[in-house]
Amino acid sequence: DGGITQSPKYLFRKEGQNVTLSCEQNLNHDAMYWYRQDPGQGLRLIYYSQIVNDFQKGDIAEGYSVSREKKESFPLTVTSAQKNPTAFYLCASSARGLGGIGELFFGEGSRLTVL
Amino acid sequence: KQEVTQIPAALSVPEGENLVLNCSFTDSAIYNLQWFRQDPGKGLTSLLLIQSSQREQTSGRLNASLDKSSGRSTLYIAASQPGDSATYLCAVLNAGGTSYGKLTFGQGTILTVHP
């Protein structure tokens, strides 16, 4: 079935460690996104990519990094520089990039907890 | 800066009732508006996408309307069922200003339908 797969579903990290969250899509979508969701707040955009080998910072990119070497994959690294990394992370994709008229599809999310 | 507000924040209704969820946005320069459903601990599922040139979209028991000039959208759920219990979010794709090309999410309405 076509869709977006995020892994791991749950992840625990010690302070000072980098972790990488995986996001894979088989929808043949050009654009991919990472959002962060915190209780009581709306979704906030971390990074987005409209095409392979290109990505842009969103509203809260500090302490995060991404790569887009393949169309299907958009991994997110949460670095030790991210001051408050405990959150629910959501990956999404759309057929066209922001500014187009594409519908947004989401993965099931990854919950990161810093111990 | 675009702001999206959803009212009410929470809603509890008996099974079988028709209900309306509201979404308002401050900047009418949008490409589209999308309604999502989120179950606890899960990703977002797209329900309806309304382009800026459209007035409404329907899918099964769901009907979403858009009044761009007044900055409002409503999601109408007919004959509600316990399985409709979830958080419903709206998001607008911005076409102007400092939020150009970005999705802005509301904080959601938590719906509980009791038998």
Side-chain angles (χ1 to χ4, degrees), chain B residues 52-84:
Chain B
S52 61
S53 58
Q54 297 176 321
R55 297 288 297 213
E56 66 177 334
Q57 282 285 345
T58 298
S59 176
R61 294 183 293 109
L62 305 180
N63 176 276
S65 67
L66 174 64
D67 184 344
K68 201 172 72 164
S69 60
S70 66
R72 293 181 182 180
S73 175
T74 61
L75 179 66
Y76 176 83
I77 302 177
S80 59
Q81 303 170 357
D84 294 330

Side-chain angles (χ1 to χ4, degrees), chain B residues 38-51:
Chain B
Q38 186 176 30
D39 294 294
K42 301 286 189 180
L44 278 66
T45 300
S46 177
L47 297 173
L48 290 164
L49 172 70
I50 310 177
Q51 304 299 344

Side-chain angles (χ1 to χ4, degrees), chain A residues 2-52:
Chain A
I4 302 173
T5 301
Q6 290 187 240
S7 63
K9 189 171 176 65
Y10 300 98
L11 184 61
F12 297 89
R13 186 194 95 175
K14 293 182 180 179
E15 282 193 22
Q17 288 181 335
N18 294 353
V19 294
T20 297
L21 307 180
S22 170
C23 178
E24 303 278 332
Q25 55 99 357
N26 60 4
L27 300 168
N28 198 33
H29 284 173
D30 286 328
M32 297 185 73
Y33 316 83
W34 275 104
Y35 287 90
R36 171 181 172 141
Q37 188 176 35
D38 296 282
Q41 298 196 41
L43 273 74
R44 293 181 290 170
L45 182 64
I46 304 172
Y47 267 99
Y48 65 99
S49 168
Q50 300 194 57
I51 197 167
V52 175

Side-chain angles (χ1 to χ4, degrees), chain A residues 9 35 37 40-43 45 58-59 88 90 98-104 106-109 111, chain B residues 31-32 34 36 38 41-49 51 89 93 100-103 105-107:
Chain A
K9 189 171 176 65
Y35 287 90
Q37 188 176 35
Q41 298 196 41
L43 273 74
L45 182 64
D59 299 318
F88 190 50
L90 288 159
L98 295 175
I101 54 174
E103 190 174 2
L104 202 64
F106 281 83
E108 286 292 286
R111 185 167 299 280
Chain B
Y31 284 113
N32 61 45
Q34 195 166 354
F36 296 91
Q38 186 176 30
K42 301 286 189 180
L44 278 66
T45 300
S46 177
L47 297 173
L48 290 164
L49 172 70
Q51 304 299 344
L89 297 104
L93 181 59
Y100 172 77
K102 295 182 180 178
L103 273 173
F105 283 83
Q107 294 197 17

